[in-house]
Amino acid sequence: MTSVFSPDGKQTAVTIIEAGPCVVTQVKTKETDGYTSLQLAFGDKKEKHTTAAEKNHFAKSNTSPKQFVKEFRNFSIEKALGESVTVDIFAEGDKVEVVGTSKGKGFQGVVKRHGFHGVGEQSHGQHDRQRAPGSLGNSSDASRVMKGVRMAGRMGGDRVKVKSLKVVKIFPEKNYILVSGSVPGHNGAIVYIQK
Amino acid sequence: MNAAVAFVHDQLTGKREFPKFKAGDNITVNYKIIEGNKERIQSFKGDVIKRQGTGHTATFTVRKISDGVGVERTFPLFSPNIESVELNKVGRVRRAKLYFQRSRSGKSARIKEKRMATE
């Protein structure tokens, strides 16, 4: 992330995303597959890390082996096998959704994980309940902890979608898209952009 | 710096030529104010109490006493609205963040000037 200035001096926090060029490696149609979609591939990988099945699959679209493959259902633009999809499909000012995997936070307590406020205060004789979850449920009626009660545990590393991010700027020569705000994941993480 | 970040700022952010200043220095910031379609320049003179951040998102904070009230203003270093920065005095201070200035007033709030030999 970084930030850019508009001509009138307003500062906007932006994330730079290298979007494409993605190669169409498969076209699914209503007749053959029952639904329409495009399979896009991005990022080269070495020949020796590619299985024979994958090699054949990429050979069909006349491309080198790719690292990431993702199917997009009901793609709004018609593309043929082997054609590439670039940043040109987006325009400055568009609202987009970005899907990615959030940063792993490890085993976290309920205050960080679920936004609980803890139990008790710092003073008045209390000392060790500030980040506690409190009661887990009722006593005699139920006599058990209900399913789905929010507790401590692994946090992060989930699929996260961030909606209505604005496309601030596009650099077609480098395939960079600048979207306002932050996107899920660490630096260099792979994300999907949808309009 | 990340190559992508460097490229983006190379394209979008203009070059800034300011005198070298640090915390403790007394500077004047000439800042463009846009009112409707009129533009005027306002100057803000005071002591730099901190420089914060790196690269193109760096900022600096200037503190002055205005009518007996302390006023602080933070400027993004690469803001296109900064017309110019003048260095009035170089201060002699021992730390990079001068937050202790906030609890001081009058004589004790003065910053000693660093005098250098001129050619």
Side-chain angles (χ1 to χ4, degrees), chain B residues 41-75:
Chain B
I41 288 175
Q42 197 180 64
S43 63
F44 193 93
K45 184 183 175 188
D47 297 326
V48 179
I49 64 162
K50 71 167 163 182
R51 288 193 61 150
Q52 188 267 123
T54 56
H56 290 80
T57 55
T59 61
F60 61 95
T61 301
V62 183
R63 177 180 170 86
K64 73 169 178 182
I65 306 295
S66 174
D67 296 334
V69 181
V71 179
E72 282 178 21
R73 198 158 168 190
T74 301
F75 300 94

Side-chain angles (χ1 to χ4, degrees), chain A residues 121-178:
Chain A
E121 299 169 15
Q122 282 192 316
S123 59
H124 297 297
Q126 308 191 40
H127 65 96
D128 61 355
R129 299 277 293 152
Q130 275 174 50
R131 301 183 73 90
S135 167
L136 295 182
N138 311 338
S139 61
S140 61
D141 192 4
S143 289
R144 62 190 171 86
V145 177
M146 294 296 174
K147 270 190 178 172
V149 170
R150 292 172 295 168
M151 295 190 201
R154 284 275 182 100
M155 185 185 169
D158 305 318
R159 182 192 149 99
V160 175
K161 181 192 275 184
V162 185
K163 289 181 179 176
S164 89
L165 295 178
K166 201 173 144 200
V167 176
V168 177
K169 182 88 186 159
I170 291 175
F171 291 103
E173 68 274 24
K174 285 260 183 183
N175 283 304
Y176 289 157
I177 292 184
L178 268 59

